[in-house]
């Protein structure tokens, strides 16, 4: 057994873990990073980055659908799905090697394998035992397991991103981000798509009106949405699969070539032996203080998808990693501020949000103004023949501060960042209206989104 000592041992080589290495290496601390798969973690290798290549293809198919509006005659497009998957793989092929070189430049020792706690500040990996002044849990997330009979027949997004055969039909179990993004890709590629969601609303954490807009557009392009259902079992029927579910007590069934677990992701902490590390946790959710440290073992820090209170997003992981790194160097002085962090669901078109939903803002008791706009008849939307162009902005009536903003279409995934800045830095609705924007652009419409120009 080989024993070594490091200032910092990082469990996980994704965006969160890599974010830690900057501050601690600048301070001259010794660092070991343990990663069982590819450096970069889920997002660049098996998640948002490769998926965005497919989303881009879906966007082009959407644009081709609208060609006739612009008096452009075009034949029916033909998508070479296998070649698209090859392009996706080629786009991300060099990411792990590039990150390995970056870690080498930072003099971070990268160790391949799975690390587990054997003591509060000791990690074992294979025949090596690493003693550390600080341990960072940055192990990311994994697909949420579903207790459904026949669950072994389901695939995950990992398989979808590697499948060179376009299925004729797909059923998604769960109506979250992963399901809806892939549903739009598959539907625009010509597959039949069904989404089964247990709750009454798709994307339950997002604004109900915004989600209603997304559901309507999803159904317009042929996606079948079944909300408020309970999936009972998945059965193989020859080369296809049959999903049996209930709605209002009545049993129904749907068949498809693929069944996908789209129920979201959970922290990937089950193999760490947190108890041996004296890390308090409940069902894998680690108890943290405001500085992202374990409440029971302050030598243990957590960042990225393993943090139970923050969105599972790549930029959030990098942000939290940097905070953890600075706290290791400076002591517990830094705390994350999640205000103004925008999110986007990359359907085609995209749904974007920042801040509070209308329901939450009303529940908080503030007097609010809610500005809702269907912009399909606005000149900017008509110029591009947008099928959906919708916004909702929530403003505190007393302070004139923006509390939340929600977009579907109309370049919302870009415009949402303006409202994120407003929330984070206290820019008022009046100040947003008073700004002069380049024209004609979608962002120039912000004045009208807030009620008057």
């Amino acid at each position: 057994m080989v024993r070594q000592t490091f200032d910092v041992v990082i469990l996980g080589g994704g965006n969160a873990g890599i974010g830690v290495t900057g501050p601690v290496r600048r301070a001259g601390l010794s660092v070991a990073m343990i990663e069982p798969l590819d450096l970069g973690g889920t997002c660049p290798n098996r998640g948002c980055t490769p998926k965005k290549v497919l989303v881009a293809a879906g966007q082009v198919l959407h644009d081709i659908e609208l060609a006739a509006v612009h008096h452009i005659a075009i034949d029916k497009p033909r998508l070479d799905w296998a070649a698209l998957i090859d392009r996706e793989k080629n786009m991300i092929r060099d990411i792990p090697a590039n990150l390995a070189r970056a870690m080498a430049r930072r003099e971070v020792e990268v160790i391949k394998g799975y690390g587990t706690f054997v003591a509060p500040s000791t990690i074992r990996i294979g025949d090596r035992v690493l003693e550390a002044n600080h341990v960072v849990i940055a192990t990311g997330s994994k697909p949420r397991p579903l207790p459904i009979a026949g669950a072994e027949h389901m695939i995950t997004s990992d398989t979808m991103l590697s499948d060179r055969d376009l299925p004729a039909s797909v059923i998604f179990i769960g109506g979250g981000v992963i399901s809806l993004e892939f549903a739009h890709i598959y539907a625009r590629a010509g597959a039949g798509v069904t989404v089964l969601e247990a709750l009454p609303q798709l994307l339950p954490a997002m604004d109900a009106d915004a989600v209603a807009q997304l559901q309507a557009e999803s159904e317009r392009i042929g996606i079948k949405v079944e909300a408020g259902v309970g999936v009972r079992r998945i059965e193989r029927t020859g080369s296809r699969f049959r999903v049996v579910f209930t709605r209002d007590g009545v049993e129904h069934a749907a068949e498809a070539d693929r069944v996908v677990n789209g129920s979201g992701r959970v922290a990937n902490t089950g193999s760490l032996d947190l108890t041996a590390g004296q890390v308090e946790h409940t069902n894998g959710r680690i108890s943290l203080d405001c500085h992202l440290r374990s409440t029971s073992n302050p030598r243990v820090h957590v960042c990225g998808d393993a943090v139970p209170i923050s969105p599972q997003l790549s930029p959030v992981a990098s942000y939290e990693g940097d905070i953890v790194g600075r706290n290791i160097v400076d002591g517990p002085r830094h705390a994350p501020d999640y205000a103004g962090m925008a999110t986007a669901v990359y359907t085609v078109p995209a749904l974007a949000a920042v801040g509070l939903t209308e329901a939450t803002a009303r529940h908080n008791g503030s007097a609010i103004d809610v500005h809702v706009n269907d912009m399909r008849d606005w000149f900017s939307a008509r110029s591009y023949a947008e099928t959906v162009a919708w916004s909702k902005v929530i403003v505190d009536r007393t302070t004139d501060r923006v509390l939340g903003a929600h977009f579907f279409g109309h370049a919302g995934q870009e415009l949402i960042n303006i409202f994120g800045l407003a929330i984070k830095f206290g820019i008022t609705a009046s100040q947003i209206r008073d700004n002069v924007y380049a024209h004609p652009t979608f962002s120039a419409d912000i004045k009208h989104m807030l009620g008057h120009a």
Side-chain angles (χ1 to χ4, degrees):
M1 193 71 66
V2 178
R3 302 187 75 91
Q4 294 174 278
T5 299
F6 291 89
D7 294 312
V8 183
V9 171
I10 302 171
L11 297 166
N15 288 330
I18 290 171
V20 175
T21 65
V24 296
R25 284 301 300 134
R26 286 193 292 271
L29 303 184
S30 58
V31 181
M33 173 180 285
I34 300 172
E35 170 55 48
L37 299 174
D38 299 319
L39 283 179
T42 297
C43 178
N45 295 303
R46 300 174 298 280
C48 43
T49 301
K51 180 176 59 184
K52 199 65 185 294
V53 178
L54 306 188
V55 171
Q59 181 66 57
V60 172
L61 289 170
H62 175 63
D63 293 339
I64 291 171
E65 175 192 346
L66 302 175
V69 179
H70 304 284
H71 303 288
I72 300 171
I74 192 167
D75 293 333
K76 182 177 176 61
R78 185 184 66 83
L79 173 61
D80 186 336
W81 182 262
L84 176 61
I85 295 297
D86 291 343
R87 178 175 189 261
E88 168 235 313
K89 294 303 181 189
N90 287 332
M91 293 278 286
I92 65 172
R93 179 183 54 200
D94 297 331
I95 290 175
N98 290 339
L99 291 174
R101 285 190 287 270
M103 292 301 96
R105 288 194 296 270
R106 291 184 183 179
E107 298 181 336
V108 172
E109 182 174 346
V110 177
I111 306 170
K112 189 89 166 180
Y114 291 88
T116 60
F117 283 95
V118 293
S121 58
T122 307
I123 302 297
R124 179 173 179 172
I125 174 171
D127 61 355
R128 301 172 69 175
V129 175
L130 310 182
E131 301 281 353
N133 294 323
H134 300 272
V135 176
V136 178
I137 297 174
T139 46
S141 60
K142 61 182 180 180
R144 183 188 305 276
L146 290 175
I148 300 172
E152 68 275 10
H153 297 309
M154 291 189 294
I155 63 173
T156 67
S157 56
D158 289 4
T159 302
M160 297 168 72
L161 288 167
S162 300
D163 192 349
R164 298 178 77 252
D165 295 322
L166 175 66
S169 54
V170 185
I171 296 173
F172 291 89
I173 309 298
V177 174
I178 294 171
S179 288
L180 288 168
E181 291 180 342
F182 275 106
H184 273 240
I185 293 166
Y186 275 119
R188 294 190 180 280
V193 178
T194 299
V195 178
L196 304 178
E197 168 57 44
L199 296 175
Q201 176 187 310
L202 301 174
L203 300 167
M206 303 195 78
D207 186 87
D209 291 337
V211 174
Q213 294 285 326
L214 170 58
Q215 181 168 334
E217 178 69 0
S218 300
E219 291 172 338
R220 185 191 73 81
I221 66 171
I223 297 171
K224 185 176 182 180
V225 176
E226 298 277 6
V229 305
V231 176
R232 294 293 176 253
R233 61 188 181 275
I234 304 168
E235 305 167 339
R236 179 182 285 278
T237 58
S239 62
R240 289 163 59 81
F241 299 95
R242 183 172 183 263
V243 179
V244 178
F245 61 95
T246 58
R247 185 180 59 243
D248 299 326
V250 179
E251 190 170 279
H252 303 267
E255 290 192 5
D257 297 319
R258 305 276 195 282
V259 181
V260 180
N261 180 353
S263 62
R265 300 177 68 87
V266 295
N268 187 22
T269 57
S271 64
L272 298 181
D273 198 349
L274 297 174
T275 300
Q278 296 182 6
V279 177
E280 183 179 336
H281 63 285
T282 303
N283 296 325
R285 295 170 62 88
I286 298 172
S287 176
L288 300 177
D289 66 14
C290 64
H291 303 294
L292 301 179
R293 299 182 306 171
S294 164
T295 55
S296 57
N297 182 357
R299 297 173 73 172
V300 173
H301 311 255
V302 185
C303 50
D305 285 1
V307 175
I309 60 170
S310 62
Q312 293 179 333
L313 299 171
S314 173
V316 175
S318 298
Y319 169 71
E320 291 172 342
D322 181 73
I323 287 174
V324 164
R326 287 187 285 140
N327 281 334
I328 289 172
V329 173
D330 301 335
R333 294 171 45 191
H334 310 287
D337 177 8
Y338 299 111
M341 287 191 176
T343 63
V345 182
Y346 291 103
T347 48
V348 181
L351 174 65
V354 68
L356 303 181
T357 65
E358 181 182 347
T360 302
R362 292 194 185 281
H363 178 76
N364 291 348
S366 301
I368 59 174
D369 291 320
V370 181
H371 304 280
V372 178
N373 299 282
D374 184 341
M375 301 176 285
R376 285 175 297 177
D377 287 334
W378 295 15
F379 185 84
S380 50
R382 289 167 55 209
S383 296
Y384 285 85
E386 287 195 276
T387 55
V388 177
W390 183 91
S391 70
K392 176 190 283 189
V393 183
I394 304 157
V395 178
D396 187 298
R397 191 176 298 161
T398 303
T399 64
D400 199 34
R401 297 277 294 268
V402 175
L403 300 178
H406 309 270
F407 286 86
F408 187 42
H410 216 64
Q413 70 271 33
E414 303 290 345
L415 299 186
I416 202 67
N417 294 302
I418 295 174
F419 290 92
L421 287 169
I423 291 173
K424 185 174 180 66
F425 296 106
I427 302 169
T428 66
S430 297
Q431 289 171 324
I432 294 173
R433 279 192 295 259
D434 290 343
N435 190 46
V436 177
Y437 301 87
H439 181 274
T441 60
F442 288 160
S443 57
D445 288 338
I446 287 175
K447 294 174 179 288
H448 305 285
M449 294 176 199
L450 285 165
H452 60 82

